[in-house]
Amino acid sequence: MTILSSYQIQTSTPYPLCFPSLSRQPNNSKPIFALRKSPRPIHSCSLTAKSQHTHHSKPQSSRTQDDGIPIDDVKTIARFKSRHNYIRVLEVSRRADHPFAGSRLLLLDGPGNIHSISFLFKSLTNTYFDVFATLPPILPPGPVAILGFGAGSAARSILELYPQVTIHGWELDPSVISVGREYFGLSKLEKEYPDRLFIYIGDALKASSRDGFSGILVDLFSRGSLIPELQDPNTWGMLRRCLRKGGRVMVNVGGSCVEAEDSRRDGRVVMEETLKAMSQVFGRKLFVLSLGNREEDSSLALTGPLPDLDAWRKALPRSLVGYVDMWRPFSS
């Protein structure tokens, strides 16, 4: 299949996905996925649920995200503009020869970065959301905050894997939560875990807990880029003060795969500025995990001293163990 007839998916929860334009239709009509005359491919950054590279500890398919998804295997099931986002929900056919086969994808902003992914019969996604799911075993007891909740991809896997964890999630756009409830199983998740999942609409950087959080997951993108506040050391100082003793922060810092609406917000530069700001607060207790092995990469950051790797591996399901050895000390 040629590039003109396939989609290459990047995950930037930010994960970004660069999708061809979607034609506007009356509210009651069926959405149509329309190609521009010369569309750009949707690059598959192996993970950011806003833009990044997917890591597979074991090959699961002869194809990768970079191979693209044929147009006939992608269906648009929702598309509209909210106050904060251009929202699209795509469904990938189960027949597709692609790691995202059988999934639903939440795309936000103009470039179409993926902010959530959901499969019908599994919670793990082979994306950076799975890296987020490795955090609870290295945290002290206490609630975990998700800043940039999206449609709940990270929350779903954590709630299913760790019965002791309570999640407090913040999302700025109420329409994103509504889409999560309608198309991504979030309503079911809330009913299944009423005492362990709490969702708040508002500014994630104002999140708080009386006794502090044991861990904070940060996945904050706007207009296709990490929000500017994350390049400010003061933001990281504030977040560190929200942690309990021994608490940690894990961050989707994006990378060159992230495509911003503002071309001046280069994904790699913004990632580097964000890591430098974090290092001013966390010093040598900052580690980076790179997803992908090409120039179009994406990364995550982790604060705190390096955990006992053997104990960490033993606390994880086999499908997540491979991420443990991918962390490297940050060097500016």
Side-chain angles (χ1 to χ4, degrees):
M1 193 71 70
T2 65
I3 284 180
L4 290 177
S5 59
S6 66
Y7 299 117
Q8 285 187 291
I9 292 192
Q10 318 172 320
T11 15
S12 141
T13 235
Y15 306 98
L17 286 175
C18 309
F19 272 108
S21 60
L22 296 170
S23 62
R24 296 176 180 274
Q25 299 291 316
N27 291 338
N28 295 328
S29 65
K30 185 176 180 180
I32 297 175
F33 205 81
L35 284 172
R36 292 181 286 198
K37 289 184 179 179
S38 56
R40 285 183 297 173
I42 297 174
H43 292 300
S44 174
C45 292
S46 278
L47 267 209
T48 301
K50 276 157 195 166
S51 147
Q52 64 207 21
H53 284 280
T54 303
H55 171 75
H56 300 277
S57 54
K58 292 185 179 180
Q60 297 187 1
S61 170
S62 60
R63 293 173 63 85
T64 68
Q65 292 180 42
D66 293 337
D67 292 325
I69 303 176
I71 293 174
D72 291 344
D73 288 334
V74 179
K75 178 172 66 174
T76 303
I77 58 177
R79 180 184 72 246
F80 63 96
K81 283 189 176 181
S82 70
R83 177 183 175 186
H84 300 284
N85 289 295
Y86 176 27
I87 296 174
R88 285 147 287 178
V89 178
L90 303 185
E91 189 169 79
V92 182
S93 170
R94 285 178 290 179
R95 300 187 306 269
D97 182 16
H98 192 276
F100 285 171
S103 70
R104 284 185 175 178
L105 309 174
L106 173 64
L107 278 61
L108 301 181
D109 60 52
N113 297 306
I114 296 179
H115 287 248
S116 288
I117 179 171
S118 174
F119 292 88
L120 186 60
F121 299 112
K122 63 178 182 177
S123 59
L124 296 181
T125 63
N126 288 312
T127 69
Y128 76 95
F129 290 120
D130 295 358
V131 185
F132 277 171
T134 67
L135 182 61
I138 57 173
L139 299 177
V144 172
I146 299 179
L147 310 186
F149 188 81
S153 295
R156 180 182 177 188
S157 55
I158 291 172
L159 288 168
E160 292 182 2
L161 289 172
Y162 309 106
Q164 77 281 10
V165 174
T166 297
I167 290 177
H168 295 258
W170 275 262
E171 175 59 48
L172 182 64
D173 191 344
S175 295
V176 169
I177 297 300
S178 296
V179 164
R181 287 170 174 153
E182 183 169 358
Y183 297 108
F184 290 86
L186 183 54
S187 289
K188 180 181 178 181
L189 208 63
E190 290 175 297
K191 292 177 182 177
E192 190 171 354
Y193 303 106
D195 300 322
R196 296 177 53 209
L197 176 60
F198 304 91
I199 299 172
Y200 311 93
I201 303 297
D203 185 350
L205 294 182
K206 294 182 180 179
S208 64
S209 173
R210 184 178 63 180
D211 298 319
F213 298 109
S214 67
I216 300 175
L217 294 169
V218 180
D219 200 8
L220 293 173
F221 287 71
S222 178
R223 300 182 182 277
S225 177
L226 280 167
I227 62 173
E229 290 86 345
L230 299 186
Q231 291 90 64
D232 182 353
N234 292 322
T235 299
W236 297 108
M238 178 272 293
L239 290 176
R240 185 174 64 175
R241 291 190 293 273
C242 292
L243 291 172
R244 296 184 175 190
K245 182 179 180 180
R248 298 173 182 269
V249 182
M250 187 180 285
V251 190
N252 173 10
V253 293
S256 57
C257 226
V258 178
E259 183 179 359
E261 292 181 1
D262 183 346
S263 60
R264 294 169 296 182
R265 298 278 293 173
D266 178 80
R268 174 169 287 278
V269 172
V270 172
M271 176 190 73
E272 292 171 349
E273 291 175 350
T274 300
L275 289 170
K276 288 179 182 178
M278 293 183 70
S279 70
Q280 291 184 44
V281 175
F282 298 101
R284 295 185 178 181
K285 296 180 180 180
L286 179 63
F287 297 83
V288 178
L289 182 154
S290 179
L291 290 167
N293 53 11
R294 306 177 316 169
E295 292 184 0
E296 294 181 350
D297 63 355
S298 130
S299 299
L300 292 91
L302 174 67
T303 69
L306 189 66
D308 181 321
L309 300 186
D310 287 335
W312 194 2
R313 292 188 200 96
K314 290 178 181 178
L316 294 173
R318 182 178 300 179
S319 56
L320 298 180
V321 168
Y323 293 113
V324 169
D325 296 311
M326 294 175 66
W327 293 99
R328 298 290 181 269
F330 171 70
S331 57
S332 56

